[in-house]
Amino acid sequence: MIRTRELHASPRPSVAEAVSAVRGDPARSAVAVIALALAVTLVITVNSLVSTVRFQVSDNFDAYAASTVHATTQPDSSGADQSLTPEHAASAASLTGVRGAARYIDASSAGISVATSSVPESALGHRVPVFASDAGFLDTVDARVSGRSLTGVDPALPVAVIGRSLADEIDLRPDEFGSRSLFIDGDAVTIIGVIESSPRMEALTVGVLVPTDAPLRSLAAMPPSSLVVATDDGAASAVADALPMVLDPYHPELLQVTAVGTGSGLRGDVDSLIIRLGLGASAMAALVGAIVVAAQAMGGVASRIGEIGLRRSLGARRSQIGVQFIAESGVVGLAGGLLGLVLATITVLAVCAAQGWVPVIDVRLLVSAPLAAVLIGVIAGTGPALRASRIDPAQALRR
């Protein structure tokens, strides 16, 4: 129904009239408000969780980068490989600020073949990193293991713990631990567990780890020549400086020591990926919200042609008609923005509470997102507003 008394009293558009028009068509307005609210919720939630996850990832990277040291022996003047003994690991573990140390063999560049059976054709189509270590190695690198680790296992047994990526590749099930085998250069090893994560040595999650004395021909000539040291936070640099003299005071130059401070590159890659995902989700949400608002506004124009004709006959100019519909779209945007702000805040706080994270919410986003919703509403309503302003009053009144 057209409210002629209001139209005679005020042919010019007003905010109050825009609000009244939105309330006068609750079903169509509610759809647009909800669409924009969901868009704003998604934008704020995704970007806030992106910031939160980046904070958690950065914090973890920094913690491990500041508390991990790797030491590797270099060949002597005759070219002979040097080995590290359990006494070397014990000496490293006795240093101030050290929480643990363990020897390992890194055979990832030795060209060792890994297969699922003794048949050569069953070899995996890519190079799998192979490692051998002391029993306490997985504890030192803070690895999380399903099944059994190497702790308490006879170091001479042909057993292996494999990375989660490799386990998924060969479709290993938990009930197959202890019965499924891999073949390392033709030598069988029984899989007893899976490395789910290993923050100090990510390569373990895609490789194979066996005991240092496992009866494998490919590792027989490789002595343990590497050492991983877990330190207290911030102590890695000091431990790295002291380690060569502690392990080999006569030839410290034969020990290459690295404090793991190179996580920034990987951290930067992770940050970049997370940011791109956040921006992509935000752009998609804004596009969907704009489409819904435009459709709502277009439907409003079609249902109010008679009202538009009457306004024009009462003296309203084309620009006033257009502004009226743009204002209505702006009101829808404001309502959706405020509702989305509330929903997003609740969602972010709930997710962070469930995960035990510290929420990171940019206050500027809380202000700009509702304003952006108003802008999206205005932009989306511009097309329908132009169409409304071009309606011929005489033809509109004949309908």
Side-chain angles (χ1 to χ4, degrees):
M1 179 183 296
I2 302 174
R3 290 169 291 203
T4 56
R5 185 173 58 184
E6 291 183 9
L7 293 174
H8 281 287
S10 179
R12 297 176 180 275
S14 68
V15 174
E17 194 167 349
V19 173
S20 177
V22 171
R23 293 176 59 186
D25 192 356
R28 185 179 289 113
S29 298
V31 171
V33 168
I34 291 173
L36 271 179
L38 292 177
V40 170
T41 300
L42 183 60
V43 169
I44 296 178
T45 300
V46 168
N47 284 278
S48 296
L49 291 180
V50 161
S51 298
T52 300
V53 171
R54 287 182 65 201
F55 175 80
Q56 306 299 323
V57 170
S58 178
D59 189 48
N60 288 337
F61 270 123
D62 290 340
Y64 287 112
S67 62
T68 306
V69 175
H70 289 276
T72 303
T73 61
Q74 303 298 307
D76 60 17
S77 57
S78 66
D81 291 332
Q82 305 298 301
S83 64
L84 294 171
T85 65
E87 288 72 24
H88 286 124
S91 296
S94 67
L95 289 173
T96 301
V98 172
R99 298 195 290 112
R103 301 178 305 156
Y104 68 97
I105 300 171
D106 183 354
S108 57
S109 60
I112 297 175
S113 171
V114 177
T116 55
S117 74
S118 58
V119 179
E121 288 75 15
S122 67
L124 299 176
H126 59 90
R127 190 66 63 195
V128 177
V130 176
F131 303 89
S133 75
D134 291 335
F137 174 74
L138 290 175
D139 292 331
T140 301
V141 297
D142 292 337
R144 183 169 60 89
V145 179
S146 297
R148 293 188 63 185
S149 68
L150 299 183
T151 303
V153 173
D154 185 340
L157 286 178
V159 296
V161 182
I162 68 174
R164 166 48 61 189
S165 297
L166 181 57
D168 291 340
E169 181 179 353
I170 65 174
D171 297 323
L172 178 70
R173 301 189 310 271
D175 60 359
E176 294 178 314
F177 294 165
S179 61
R180 188 87 174 264
S181 296
L182 283 179
F183 290 79
I184 301 176
D185 269 355
D187 294 323
V189 293
T190 302
I191 302 171
I192 61 173
V194 171
I195 302 171
E196 303 290 350
S197 63
S198 177
R200 295 186 191 277
M201 283 188 65
E202 288 291 341
L204 294 175
T205 61
V206 298
V208 179
L209 178 67
V210 299
T212 51
D213 296 329
L216 301 178
R217 289 167 292 178
S218 54
L219 299 180
M222 297 184 189
S225 59
S226 297
L227 189 73
V228 61
V229 181
T231 74
D232 294 334
D233 291 344
S237 180
V239 171
D241 291 340
L243 205 54
M245 290 300 295
V246 170
L247 298 184
D248 193 348
Y250 297 105
H251 301 286
E253 73 280 0
L254 296 181
L255 198 70
Q256 181 180 352
V257 179
T258 306
V260 182
T262 58
S264 58
L266 179 57
R267 179 174 63 215
D269 292 342
V270 173
D271 279 356
S272 178
L273 174 60
I274 293 175
I275 291 172
R276 288 199 300 271
L277 291 174
L279 292 176
S282 299
M284 184 61 68
L287 177 62
V288 171
I291 291 174
V292 174
V293 172
Q296 179 265 349
M298 195 66 74
V301 171
S303 66
R304 294 162 61 188
I305 291 179
E307 175 188 335
I308 294 170
L310 185 56
R311 281 182 179 278
R312 292 296 308 282
S313 67
L314 291 174
R317 296 191 297 272
R318 290 179 182 272
S319 60
Q320 293 172 343
I321 297 296
V323 169
Q324 176 65 38
F325 279 89
I326 290 177
E328 292 175 13
S329 296
V331 169
V332 169
L334 179 61
L338 295 177
L339 178 59
L341 174 62
V342 174
L343 294 177
T345 302
I346 294 174
T347 302
V348 171
L349 294 178
V351 171
C352 290
Q355 296 294 327
W357 294 341
V358 177
V360 179
I361 303 177
D362 191 342
V363 177
R364 294 171 298 179
L365 184 63
L366 298 181
V367 176
S368 61
L371 294 179
V374 175
L375 181 61
I376 289 173
V378 169
I379 293 174
T382 299
L386 290 175
R387 179 184 176 188
S389 67
R390 293 169 181 167
I391 292 177
D392 181 79
Q395 293 183 359
L397 290 174
R398 283 197 296 266
R399 291 192 178 185

